[in-house]
Structure formats: structure tokens, C-alpha cells
Amino acid sequence: MAKQKKTLTTTLIVLLLFVIAVQFIPKAERNDSARGAKAITKQYDVPEKVQSILQKACFDCHSNRTEYPWYSNIQPFAKFMEGHILRGKDELNFDEFGSYAIKKQYNKLRSLENQLENEAMPLRSYTLIHHNARLSNEEISLLTNWSKALRNKMDIKL
Amino acid sequence: MKKIIFGAMVVVAFAFAACNSKSDRTAKQDHNMENMESSIPHAIGDDSSLTEIKASFIHVDPKVASSIKQIVNHYIHIKTALSNDDGKEAANGGKAMAAVIAQFGKSALTAEQATLYNQNEEDLKEHAEHIGENEGNIDHQREHFIMMSEDVTALVKGFGAGRPIYNAHCPMAKNNEGAMWLSEAREIKNPYFGSKMLTCGVVKEIIN
């Protein structure tokens, strides 16, 4: 009995040390880049309704305005979230949209329409926790219609 | 004590489960294309409808020409793989293309050529990477192949490909919006539908 208790105590201590140790995994810099003149809202007309949908459902992973929840300061959550956010930003950053070559801007909007129509964005692991980021069909068509109209105005030779 | 250990394990397990983003992106696409063979416009060998286009740049540095040729070869590789419904081969082609773009020697481009190349470079590289990373999601590869085809067409119309390239169009691709692709052969083998509708498409142009 006493022996069993001892193994348990050891296990717990090892686990505790592990949890403490992973806290030393460095966290990536956050929301560092400027969000000025290159933001999509500065370069193109983004109606308020569209902007508020993007903000609640996409900006956490696709802008320089990520709102980090409290548990994002705790490893290993921080590491996993960084993965999503850095990859998401790398794919599409609404605050740096204006720095993309025009063809890339045009095609990012096409991808946005595809992703929404396939319901592949926002990521499911995100809407699991952020319920208000789940988009209704009306919200989806509001975004895709805005995106298509914006593309039609772009001066691009394909 | 047991409760604490159990709790700690749940936390760790959750952390590992929470972030598997690849499987999140299930492409919910349903083409419903079975039984539609009869209504497809088949390719016809009618030369009168074929426009001939000459590549616009007359002097292309041999190194540049060779890199463009490689890009086109990898493109054809992806196209053939997609028409065979082979996402894995398509991914290999995508990775190979991304590698060529990463090493492209831009210093040998004239100003006019650089403008054309720069317009397409960043975009094309992303499509190559997406196709390379999504071997398990052929629908997503095909979405990016639509855009990749447009970029490669722009490059081939400028630089040429060292061989005749056919520009084909299928009006039913992309949910009936229509989409084009390039092929090394006249014969239609549709990369957007594969075995579902292999012969949808008409050759519109030949680029020399």
C-alpha cells in the first residue's frame, strides 16, 4: 500500500515538473506588425456589416488583431494556437492585404469564397470554442457577395 | 490524488486533440456529376475554331527558358495526375514546381519580362504549395489548380514553353462557371473531373 502511494507521488511530481518545464517553451511575438495603410479596410471599401463578420470570425487568425484568450498564455496551448495563427496569417492577413500583388489579392478573395462555400473556414476547432464565430447562411452569402463584387472591380488581366 | 492525475491527463489529451487542423478542413463538395456524360460538349477535331498564339517575348535567356520549361513540365505533371484522380502525384508535382519557383534566376529577365513574372510569381508559388500540401484533399487541389492554370497560361503566352501547348476549356468545371487548363496534347483529359467526366472540354487555343 505504502509503495503504491509512493509511485503515485512520484508520478505526480514528474507530471508537475513536466507542466512547469513546458512553460519555458518560448512564445512567438504577438500582434507585432503594423496594421496601417496596407489593411484591406484602407485599400478597399469594406461595409460595416462585412467588417464585423470578418472581425468576429476571421481576424483572430487572419489579422494583426488577434484577441488572445487567457489560456493562450499557458503551454502547451500557446504552442498549438501559435501554429494555427501563424499559418493562418501566412495564408491571408487582412491587415497586410494591400501589400500582396494584385493577382494574389484577387485569388485570395476567390479562395475566401471557396473556403466559405465549403464551410472549411473558420476552422472547426475554433468554432467549437467561439460559438459566435459560427456563420449563418446569410452571413456567408453576405461575405461571398462582397468578395465577388470587390473582385469585379479589380483591374486584373488574367 | 487519482483525480489530479486524471485531470492532468485530460488537459494534455485535449491539447493534442484540439489542433489537428488538416482534418478540420473537410471539403464539403458534392459535384453530383454522375449520369451527365450525355450532355457534355466533346472535343471535336475542328481546326477552324482553334486560335493560334505566339509567345510574345522573342529573346529569352536560356536559363530563364529552361526554368519556365520546368515549371510547365511540373504543371503538366499535376494536370495529368488530377485527370487520373491521383492527389498524391499531383502533390509531388506541386512541391517540385514550388522548388523551381524558389530558385528562379530573376536577374536574367528583361524589365518587361520581370513585370510579367512578378505579377504571377507569388500567386503561382502559393498554388503550388497548396497542391503540394493537400494530397488527401483533391477537391482543394483542384480549386487551386484553376488559379494555377491561369498563372501558367500568362507565363506561357509570354515566354513560350519550348513546345506547343493547348489551352482547353470546360464550361461545367467550377460549379458550371467554367474553367480552363493547359495540356501538352490535343486530346481532352479533364483535370477538374477526372474519371467523373474525363472528356468535358474543348481546345480553344494553341500556344507556340
Side-chain angles (χ1 to χ4, degrees):
Chain A
M1 196 60 201
K3 198 176 163 209
Q4 215 173 35
K5 201 165 178 190
K6 202 172 161 196
T7 10
L8 253 146
T9 318
T10 324
T11 319
L12 190 66
I13 289 170
V14 168
L15 217 73
L16 202 73
L17 286 176
F18 175 75
V19 169
I20 292 168
V22 292
Q23 302 312 317
F24 289 96
I25 298 175
K27 298 182 195 100
E29 281 218 36
R30 302 181 161 190
N31 292 335
D32 48 345
S33 349
R35 73 175 76 137
K38 296 294 181 196
I40 191 167
T41 45
K42 290 276 158 58
Q43 306 248 334
Y44 296 103
D45 183 29
V46 186
E48 217 160 284
K49 263 191 179 163
V50 171
Q51 212 171 320
S52 76
I53 302 173
L54 292 177
Q55 173 134 25
K56 72 168 182 179
C58 318
F59 276 11
D60 270 355
C61 304
H62 292 295
S63 79
N64 295 332
R65 287 173 253 180
T66 308
E67 283 173 27
Y68 286 90
W70 62 268
Y71 50 84
S72 75
N73 289 308
I74 302 168
Q75 295 288 10
F77 299 106
K79 197 80 210 150
F80 284 116
M81 290 183 55
E82 261 161 32
H84 272 169
I85 292 165
L86 293 182
R87 231 153 36 84
K89 275 195 201 181
D90 187 47
E91 276 292 330
L92 170 65
N93 188 333
F94 286 111
D95 284 330
E96 277 154 29
F97 194 81
S99 65
Y100 302 157
I102 190 83
K103 195 161 194 171
K104 183 169 162 184
Q105 295 185 7
Y106 185 90
N107 280 336
K108 281 296 169 193
L109 292 173
R110 285 163 91 182
S111 289
L112 179 146
E113 294 155 25
N114 287 334
Q115 296 290 311
L116 289 169
E117 278 156 15
N118 299 339
E119 293 176 26
M121 285 286 152
L123 288 178
R124 209 146 299 167
S125 59
Y126 180 80
T127 50
L128 211 63
I129 299 166
H130 299 81
H131 289 256
N132 70 331
R134 275 182 211 160
L135 300 183
S136 66
N137 287 340
E138 293 83 68
E139 288 174 316
I140 290 176
S141 45
L142 199 79
L143 284 187
T144 50
N145 288 339
W146 160 75
S147 169
K148 281 174 193 163
L150 179 54
R151 279 201 291 123
N152 282 335
K153 276 188 251 158
M154 285 183 168
D155 176 26
I156 179 175
K157 285 175 280 167
L158 286 174
Chain B
M1 185 81 110
K2 270 202 187 126
K3 253 193 194 154
I4 297 170
I5 294 178
F6 180 73
M9 282 171 135
V10 168
V11 168
V12 172
F14 177 74
F16 279 93
C19 252
N20 191 354
S21 75
K22 280 277 186 252
S23 55
D24 284 333
R25 316 178 65 239
T26 36
K28 199 182 72 72
Q29 272 191 328
D30 185 2
H31 286 303
N32 249 335
M33 284 303 176
E34 274 82 36
N35 306 324
M36 289 179 85
E37 290 284 343
S38 54
S39 60
I40 302 158
H42 282 268
I44 340 151
D46 180 8
D47 274 312
S48 59
S49 63
L50 195 65
T51 318
E52 193 183 337
I53 292 186
K54 285 232 174 300
S56 50
F57 302 134
I58 300 163
H59 299 293
V60 179
D61 179 90
K63 273 206 208 107
V64 170
S66 144
S67 297
I68 296 283
K69 235 188 243 179
Q70 285 181 56
I71 289 177
V72 175
N73 288 347
H74 295 311
Y75 172 87
I76 299 291
H77 183 161
I78 298 168
K79 184 268 303 172
T80 307
L82 291 178
S83 65
N84 291 330
D85 300 312
D86 186 346
K88 191 159 190 291
E89 255 329 290
N92 289 339
K95 285 175 203 153
M97 187 193 286
V100 175
I101 297 167
Q103 293 169 5
F104 197 101
K106 290 209 272 184
S107 54
L109 294 169
T110 66
E112 200 188 355
Q113 291 170 354
T115 305
L116 175 68
Y117 186 74
N118 289 334
Q119 273 167 4
N120 291 284
E121 175 189 28
E122 198 186 7
D123 192 59
L124 181 59
K125 185 148 179 285
E126 288 214 353
H127 301 314
E129 286 166 356
H130 267 269
I131 291 172
E133 288 163 8
N134 281 278
E135 62 174 69
N137 188 349
I138 198 164
D139 287 331
H140 192 63
Q141 289 178 319
R142 284 173 168 147
E143 280 171 1
H144 280 278
F145 189 71
I146 294 175
M147 298 181 266
M148 169 181 274
S149 295
E150 294 165 355
D151 292 346
V152 176
T153 304
L155 292 180
V156 171
K157 284 186 174 172
F159 293 94
R163 55 171 159 168
I165 294 290
Y166 298 90
N167 179 349
H169 184 267
C170 165
M172 300 176 79
K174 204 179 174 188
N175 299 321
N176 293 318
E177 264 180 58
M180 55 70 55
W181 73 94
L182 298 177
S183 175
E184 78 289 10
R186 189 77 198 266
E187 192 190 354
I188 294 286
K189 283 197 179 154
N190 190 307
Y192 299 115
F193 291 117
S195 58
K196 275 189 191 153
M197 199 161 35
L198 194 59
T199 52
C200 176
V202 188
V203 173
K204 300 269 192 189
E205 292 175 340
I206 175 167
I207 310 166
N208 274 310

